[in-house]
Structure formats: structure tokens, C-alpha cells
Amino acid sequence: MHQLILIGIGISIVAAIIYLIYYYSASTIILRTLKKLPYQRVGSLRTHSFSKIEGKALNIESPLNAPLSKRPCVFYKMKIEKKVKRGKSSHWKTLVYEEEIQDFFIEQNGERVVVFPKKAPQNYHEYLITDKTVRIGTFGTSSPEFIELLNAYNIESKGVFGFTKSFRYTEAIVEVGERIVVAGNIKWMDLENPIADYNYSSIASIIGSAKSKIIITDTPDAHKPKRKL
């Protein structure tokens, strides 16, 4: 009986730890914050308010290109990892982590909001879905594009006996035209120069600071629920 009680306590502690890890994870905090904010139309945005908007991401200037998939985007994160063996165990070691973002538009029903993210100092939180994963290795799938990318980063893909080492690549992007949700501090600005396909004299912007950061996510979990017919 005493042993069963100890097992029950142990299971409860493990369950509590798992719940706390989930509850305080970056992605869960972002979704929890967004859930508290109402969905706004562009015309209803007010300066100095912290507001949430959903729409299509559009590039302002030439878009970025994701390193491996080459998809046009306004934001990407990528990671290259190498499988390292130590005795009977192994783990993935990060060789390259790269994150690039640019100013971009959110378009909603023909109206636009401009988003001003900064990397240094970083003024945004993000939760992007990893939508590209590639693995190569001695007994894995070959990928000439991935090999080419490794060469571009001066990473040797072959081992001592000419076998391909084990590598893993992950990529998450905000693709041009992708539906996303962004939240942040609103500031309306007068336009000195016209914007193509935008027939308004002013535009709302989303800005962030160290204390009040922009939130950017492409997870469908943050999208406005569709009305049931």
C-alpha cells in the first residue's frame, strides 16, 4: 500500500512538471496572450492601443528567400544540426541557427497595416510552425539541395570513409501571402508617398519595444474561428 502511494505521488509530480513546462512554454504564452485580445478590423485600430489583427503577410520591398526551400517570405528561421555520437548515445548538435526578418504589410480586405520588427534589440516574440524538415545521412535520404546548402556554410558533409554524415535541417517561415496573426502597439502614420494598390493617405503601423513586444505567429490555432453555417 505504501509503495502504491509513493508511485501515485511520483506520477502526480511528473504530470505537474509536464503541465508547467507546457503552460510556461513560449508558444503557449503567445497563444494565451493572443486569446485575450479581440480580433480587430484595420479601420477600428486606435493609436496607443495594443491590438491584434489577422491577414495576409505581404512584402514591402524585395522579399527574403528561405535558405533551402527558396520560398519568398518576410520572416524565416532555419537550423542545421549534426548528429554527434558519444559511445552508445547520440545527440543533435546545432551548427547553424539563422533568423531573418524584414518590415512587412498585413493585408485585410484591401486595407493594410505595416509591421516594424527589429532584431537588435529584438522587439518581437514569435511562434512559427516548422514546415520544412530534411534529414540526410549514411542510410538516410539524399538531398543535393541540402548538400549544396552545407557547402555554402562551409560544413563538410562527408566522413573519413566518404560516407555522408547525419544532418538535420528545419525551416519555419512567414511566406508571402500566408495568413498570419500579429499583435502590437498601434501607431497611425500619414503617407508622404503613395503605396501601390493602396488608396489611403494614412496607414496603421505595429511597433514594439523591450517592454511591449510585437507578437507574430502563423499557427492556425491563433486564427479567427470560422463561422459555422
Side-chain angles (χ1 to χ4, degrees), residues 14-34:
V14 171
I17 291 172
I18 292 173
Y19 173 77
L20 289 173
I21 291 173
Y22 166 78
Y23 188 82
Y24 289 106
S25 67
S27 58
T28 304
I29 291 172
I30 285 173
L31 289 175
R32 198 160 58 240
T33 302
L34 290 174

PDB file of all heavy atoms in Angstrom, residues 14-34:
ATOM      1  N   VAL A  14       5.415  14.095 -11.813  1.00  0.00           N
ATOM      2  CA  VAL A  14       5.806  14.111 -13.230  1.00  0.00           C
ATOM      3  C   VAL A  14       4.750  14.830 -14.062  1.00  0.00           C
ATOM      4  O   VAL A  14       5.067  15.654 -14.931  1.00  0.00           O
ATOM      5  CB  VAL A  14       6.019  12.678 -13.752  1.00  0.00           C
ATOM      6  CG1 VAL A  14       6.212  12.684 -15.269  1.00  0.00           C
ATOM      7  CG2 VAL A  14       7.224  12.038 -13.078  1.00  0.00           C
ATOM      8  N   ALA A  15       3.471  14.529 -13.803  1.00  0.00           N
ATOM      9  CA  ALA A  15       2.379  15.174 -14.541  1.00  0.00           C
ATOM     10  C   ALA A  15       2.381  16.683 -14.307  1.00  0.00           C
ATOM     11  O   ALA A  15       2.156  17.470 -15.234  1.00  0.00           O
ATOM     12  CB  ALA A  15       1.041  14.575 -14.122  1.00  0.00           C
ATOM     13  N   ALA A  16       2.651  17.095 -13.062  1.00  0.00           N
ATOM     14  CA  ALA A  16       2.684  18.527 -12.734  1.00  0.00           C
ATOM     15  C   ALA A  16       3.826  19.223 -13.460  1.00  0.00           C
ATOM     16  O   ALA A  16       3.669  20.341 -13.973  1.00  0.00           O
ATOM     17  CB  ALA A  16       2.824  18.714 -11.227  1.00  0.00           C
ATOM     18  N   ILE A  17       4.975  18.561 -13.537  1.00  0.00           N
ATOM     19  CA  ILE A  17       6.134  19.141 -14.228  1.00  0.00           C
ATOM     20  C   ILE A  17       5.836  19.302 -15.715  1.00  0.00           C
ATOM     21  O   ILE A  17       6.125  20.342 -16.315  1.00  0.00           O
ATOM     22  CB  ILE A  17       7.383  18.262 -14.015  1.00  0.00           C
ATOM     23  CG1 ILE A  17       7.833  18.326 -12.550  1.00  0.00           C
ATOM     24  CG2 ILE A  17       8.522  18.707 -14.938  1.00  0.00           C
ATOM     25  CD1 ILE A  17       8.937  17.354 -12.203  1.00  0.00           C
ATOM     26  N   ILE A  18       5.234  18.262 -16.321  1.00  0.00           N
ATOM     27  CA  ILE A  18       4.883  18.325 -17.747  1.00  0.00           C
ATOM     28  C   ILE A  18       3.902  19.463 -18.004  1.00  0.00           C
ATOM     29  O   ILE A  18       4.037  20.216 -18.969  1.00  0.00           O
ATOM     30  CB  ILE A  18       4.282  16.981 -18.209  1.00  0.00           C
ATOM     31  CG1 ILE A  18       5.359  15.887 -18.177  1.00  0.00           C
ATOM     32  CG2 ILE A  18       3.699  17.105 -19.616  1.00  0.00           C
ATOM     33  CD1 ILE A  18       4.829  14.498 -18.453  1.00  0.00           C
ATOM     34  N   TYR A  19       2.919  19.614 -17.124  1.00  0.00           N
ATOM     35  CA  TYR A  19       1.926  20.682 -17.285  1.00  0.00           C
ATOM     36  C   TYR A  19       2.577  22.056 -17.174  1.00  0.00           C
ATOM     37  O   TYR A  19       2.285  22.960 -17.970  1.00  0.00           O
ATOM     38  CB  TYR A  19       0.827  20.545 -16.234  1.00  0.00           C
ATOM     39  CG  TYR A  19      -0.143  21.705 -16.239  1.00  0.00           C
ATOM     40  CD1 TYR A  19      -1.130  21.801 -17.213  1.00  0.00           C
ATOM     41  CD2 TYR A  19      -0.043  22.718 -15.286  1.00  0.00           C
ATOM     42  CE1 TYR A  19      -2.013  22.876 -17.230  1.00  0.00           C
ATOM     43  CE2 TYR A  19      -0.916  23.793 -15.296  1.00  0.00           C
ATOM     44  CZ  TYR A  19      -1.900  23.866 -16.269  1.00  0.00           C
ATOM     45  OH  TYR A  19      -2.755  24.940 -16.294  1.00  0.00           O
ATOM     46  N   LEU A  20       3.468  22.231 -16.201  1.00  0.00           N
ATOM     47  CA  LEU A  20       4.129  23.524 -16.011  1.00  0.00           C
ATOM     48  C   LEU A  20       5.017  23.871 -17.200  1.00  0.00           C
ATOM     49  O   LEU A  20       5.082  25.032 -17.623  1.00  0.00           O
ATOM     50  CB  LEU A  20       4.951  23.509 -14.716  1.00  0.00           C
ATOM     51  CG  LEU A  20       4.138  23.510 -13.411  1.00  0.00           C
ATOM     52  CD1 LEU A  20       5.053  23.315 -12.218  1.00  0.00           C
ATOM     53  CD2 LEU A  20       3.341  24.806 -13.274  1.00  0.00           C
ATOM     54  N   ILE A  21       5.716  22.862 -17.745  1.00  0.00           N
ATOM     55  CA  ILE A  21       6.551  23.092 -18.927  1.00  0.00           C
ATOM     56  C   ILE A  21       5.684  23.562 -20.090  1.00  0.00           C
ATOM     57  O   ILE A  21       6.026  24.505 -20.809  1.00  0.00           O
ATOM     58  CB  ILE A  21       7.327  21.813 -19.307  1.00  0.00           C
ATOM     59  CG1 ILE A  21       8.390  21.506 -18.241  1.00  0.00           C
ATOM     60  CG2 ILE A  21       7.983  21.965 -20.681  1.00  0.00           C
ATOM     61  CD1 ILE A  21       9.086  20.177 -18.433  1.00  0.00           C
ATOM     62  N   TYR A  22       4.536  22.898 -20.267  1.00  0.00           N
ATOM     63  CA  TYR A  22       3.614  23.284 -21.342  1.00  0.00           C
ATOM     64  C   TYR A  22       3.029  24.674 -21.093  1.00  0.00           C
ATOM     65  O   TYR A  22       2.998  25.520 -21.990  1.00  0.00           O
ATOM     66  CB  TYR A  22       2.488  22.254 -21.451  1.00  0.00           C
ATOM     67  CG  TYR A  22       1.322  22.718 -22.295  1.00  0.00           C
ATOM     68  CD1 TYR A  22       1.399  22.706 -23.684  1.00  0.00           C
ATOM     69  CD2 TYR A  22       0.149  23.191 -21.701  1.00  0.00           C
ATOM     70  CE1 TYR A  22       0.336  23.148 -24.461  1.00  0.00           C
ATOM     71  CE2 TYR A  22      -0.919  23.633 -22.471  1.00  0.00           C
ATOM     72  CZ  TYR A  22      -0.817  23.609 -23.847  1.00  0.00           C
ATOM     73  OH  TYR A  22      -1.865  24.057 -24.608  1.00  0.00           O
ATOM     74  N   TYR A  23       2.581  24.923 -19.856  1.00  0.00           N
ATOM     75  CA  TYR A  23       1.895  26.179 -19.533  1.00  0.00           C
ATOM     76  C   TYR A  23       2.811  27.380 -19.714  1.00  0.00           C
ATOM     77  O   TYR A  23       2.376  28.448 -20.148  1.00  0.00           O
ATOM     78  CB  TYR A  23       1.381  26.127 -18.095  1.00  0.00           C
ATOM     79  CG  TYR A  23       0.496  27.293 -17.716  1.00  0.00           C
ATOM     80  CD1 TYR A  23      -0.851  27.303 -18.053  1.00  0.00           C
ATOM     81  CD2 TYR A  23       1.012  28.390 -17.026  1.00  0.00           C
ATOM     82  CE1 TYR A  23      -1.672  28.369 -17.711  1.00  0.00           C
ATOM     83  CE2 TYR A  23       0.203  29.462 -16.681  1.00  0.00           C
ATOM     84  CZ  TYR A  23      -1.138  29.444 -17.025  1.00  0.00           C
ATOM     85  OH  TYR A  23      -1.941  30.516 -16.690  1.00  0.00           O
ATOM     86  N   TYR A  24       4.098  27.208 -19.387  1.00  0.00           N
ATOM     87  CA  TYR A  24       5.029  28.331 -19.457  1.00  0.00           C
ATOM     88  C   TYR A  24       5.921  28.288 -20.701  1.00  0.00           C
ATOM     89  O   TYR A  24       6.885  29.043 -20.794  1.00  0.00           O
ATOM     90  CB  TYR A  24       5.894  28.376 -18.196  1.00  0.00           C
ATOM     91  CG  TYR A  24       5.116  28.808 -16.976  1.00  0.00           C
ATOM     92  CD1 TYR A  24       4.747  27.894 -15.997  1.00  0.00           C
ATOM     93  CD2 TYR A  24       4.721  30.132 -16.816  1.00  0.00           C
ATOM     94  CE1 TYR A  24       4.019  28.289 -14.881  1.00  0.00           C
ATOM     95  CE2 TYR A  24       3.991  30.536 -15.706  1.00  0.00           C
ATOM     96  CZ  TYR A  24       3.649  29.611 -14.746  1.00  0.00           C
ATOM     97  OH  TYR A  24       2.920  30.009 -13.647  1.00  0.00           O
ATOM     98  N   SER A  25       5.606  27.432 -21.665  1.00  0.00           N
ATOM     99  CA  SER A  25       6.367  27.417 -22.916  1.00  0.00           C
ATOM    100  C   SER A  25       6.065  28.692 -23.697  1.00  0.00           C
ATOM    101  O   SER A  25       4.988  29.286 -23.564  1.00  0.00           O
ATOM    102  CB  SER A  25       6.004  26.193 -23.753  1.00  0.00           C
ATOM    103  OG  SER A  25       4.665  26.275 -24.215  1.00  0.00           O
ATOM    104  N   ALA A  26       7.017  29.108 -24.523  1.00  0.00           N
ATOM    105  CA  ALA A  26       6.867  30.362 -25.275  1.00  0.00           C
ATOM    106  C   ALA A  26       5.635  30.334 -26.166  1.00  0.00           C
ATOM    107  O   ALA A  26       4.885  31.312 -26.246  1.00  0.00           O
ATOM    108  CB  ALA A  26       8.124  30.611 -26.107  1.00  0.00           C
ATOM    109  N   SER A  27       5.399  29.206 -26.839  1.00  0.00           N
ATOM    110  CA  SER A  27       4.261  29.120 -27.754  1.00  0.00           C
ATOM    111  C   SER A  27       2.933  29.221 -27.010  1.00  0.00           C
ATOM    112  O   SER A  27       1.999  29.899 -27.464  1.00  0.00           O
ATOM    113  CB  SER A  27       4.321  27.810 -28.541  1.00  0.00           C
ATOM    114  OG  SER A  27       4.319  26.697 -27.666  1.00  0.00           O
ATOM    115  N   THR A  28       2.841  28.579 -25.853  1.00  0.00           N
ATOM    116  CA  THR A  28       1.597  28.619 -25.079  1.00  0.00           C
ATOM    117  C   THR A  28       1.341  30.015 -24.529  1.00  0.00           C
ATOM    118  O   THR A  28       0.200  30.491 -24.519  1.00  0.00           O
ATOM    119  CB  THR A  28       1.656  27.600 -23.925  1.00  0.00           C
ATOM    120  OG1 THR A  28       1.932  26.304 -24.454  1.00  0.00           O
ATOM    121  CG2 THR A  28       0.337  27.550 -23.177  1.00  0.00           C
ATOM    122  N   ILE A  29       2.389  30.684 -24.078  1.00  0.00           N
ATOM    123  CA  ILE A  29       2.245  32.056 -23.567  1.00  0.00           C
ATOM    124  C   ILE A  29       1.756  32.981 -24.674  1.00  0.00           C
ATOM    125  O   ILE A  29       0.877  33.827 -24.463  1.00  0.00           O
ATOM    126  CB  ILE A  29       3.578  32.558 -22.986  1.00  0.00           C
ATOM    127  CG1 ILE A  29       3.909  31.789 -21.698  1.00  0.00           C
ATOM    128  CG2 ILE A  29       3.519  34.058 -22.699  1.00  0.00           C
ATOM    129  CD1 ILE A  29       5.283  32.079 -21.146  1.00  0.00           C
ATOM    130  N   ILE A  30       2.304  32.821 -25.883  1.00  0.00           N
ATOM    131  CA  ILE A  30       1.882  33.647 -27.020  1.00  0.00           C
ATOM    132  C   ILE A  30       0.409  33.411 -27.335  1.00  0.00           C
ATOM    133  O   ILE A  30      -0.371  34.363 -27.499  1.00  0.00           O
ATOM    134  CB  ILE A  30       2.765  33.349 -28.250  1.00  0.00           C
ATOM    135  CG1 ILE A  30       4.140  34.001 -28.073  1.00  0.00           C
ATOM    136  CG2 ILE A  30       2.106  33.851 -29.539  1.00  0.00           C
ATOM    137  CD1 ILE A  30       5.140  33.642 -29.146  1.00  0.00           C
ATOM    138  N   LEU A  31       0.000  32.154 -27.417  1.00  0.00           N
ATOM    139  CA  LEU A  31      -1.398  31.850 -27.726  1.00  0.00           C
ATOM    140  C   LEU A  31      -2.333  32.338 -26.625  1.00  0.00           C
ATOM    141  O   LEU A  31      -3.433  32.829 -26.905  1.00  0.00           O
ATOM    142  CB  LEU A  31      -1.568  30.344 -27.939  1.00  0.00           C
ATOM    143  CG  LEU A  31      -0.957  29.778 -29.220  1.00  0.00           C
ATOM    144  CD1 LEU A  31      -1.084  28.263 -29.253  1.00  0.00           C
ATOM    145  CD2 LEU A  31      -1.616  30.391 -30.449  1.00  0.00           C
ATOM    146  N   ARG A  32      -1.891  32.227 -25.388  1.00  0.00           N
ATOM    147  CA  ARG A  32      -2.714  32.677 -24.262  1.00  0.00           C
ATOM    148  C   ARG A  32      -2.880  34.200 -24.298  1.00  0.00           C
ATOM    149  O   ARG A  32      -3.969  34.726 -24.031  1.00  0.00           O
ATOM    150  CB  ARG A  32      -2.060  32.224 -22.952  1.00  0.00           C
ATOM    151  CG  ARG A  32      -2.992  32.243 -21.767  1.00  0.00           C
ATOM    152  CD  ARG A  32      -2.505  31.364 -20.631  1.00  0.00           C
ATOM    153  NE  ARG A  32      -1.182  31.732 -20.158  1.00  0.00           N
ATOM    154  CZ  ARG A  32      -0.131  30.912 -20.179  1.00  0.00           C
ATOM    155  NH1 ARG A  32      -0.239  29.702 -20.678  1.00  0.00           N
ATOM    156  NH2 ARG A  32       1.035  31.298 -19.711  1.00  0.00           N
ATOM    157  N   THR A  33      -1.809  34.907 -24.644  1.00  0.00           N
ATOM    158  CA  THR A  33      -1.873  36.368 -24.751  1.00  0.00           C
ATOM    159  C   THR A  33      -2.797  36.790 -25.879  1.00  0.00           C
ATOM    160  O   THR A  33      -3.632  37.690 -25.721  1.00  0.00           O
ATOM    161  CB  THR A  33      -0.468  36.946 -24.987  1.00  0.00           C
ATOM    162  OG1 THR A  33       0.393  36.565 -23.911  1.00  0.00           O
ATOM    163  CG2 THR A  33      -0.514  38.467 -25.072  1.00  0.00           C
ATOM    164  N   LEU A  34      -2.669  36.135 -27.032  1.00  0.00           N
ATOM    165  CA  LEU A  34      -3.499  36.486 -28.185  1.00  0.00           C
ATOM    166  C   LEU A  34      -4.976  36.197 -27.929  1.00  0.00           C
ATOM    167  O   LEU A  34      -5.854  36.931 -28.396  1.00  0.00           O
ATOM    168  CB  LEU A  34      -3.028  35.713 -29.420  1.00  0.00           C
ATOM    169  CG  LEU A  34      -1.673  36.126 -30.003  1.00  0.00           C
ATOM    170  CD1 LEU A  34      -1.275  35.187 -31.128  1.00  0.00           C
ATOM    171  CD2 LEU A  34      -1.710  37.566 -30.501  1.00  0.00           C
TER     172      LEU A  34
END
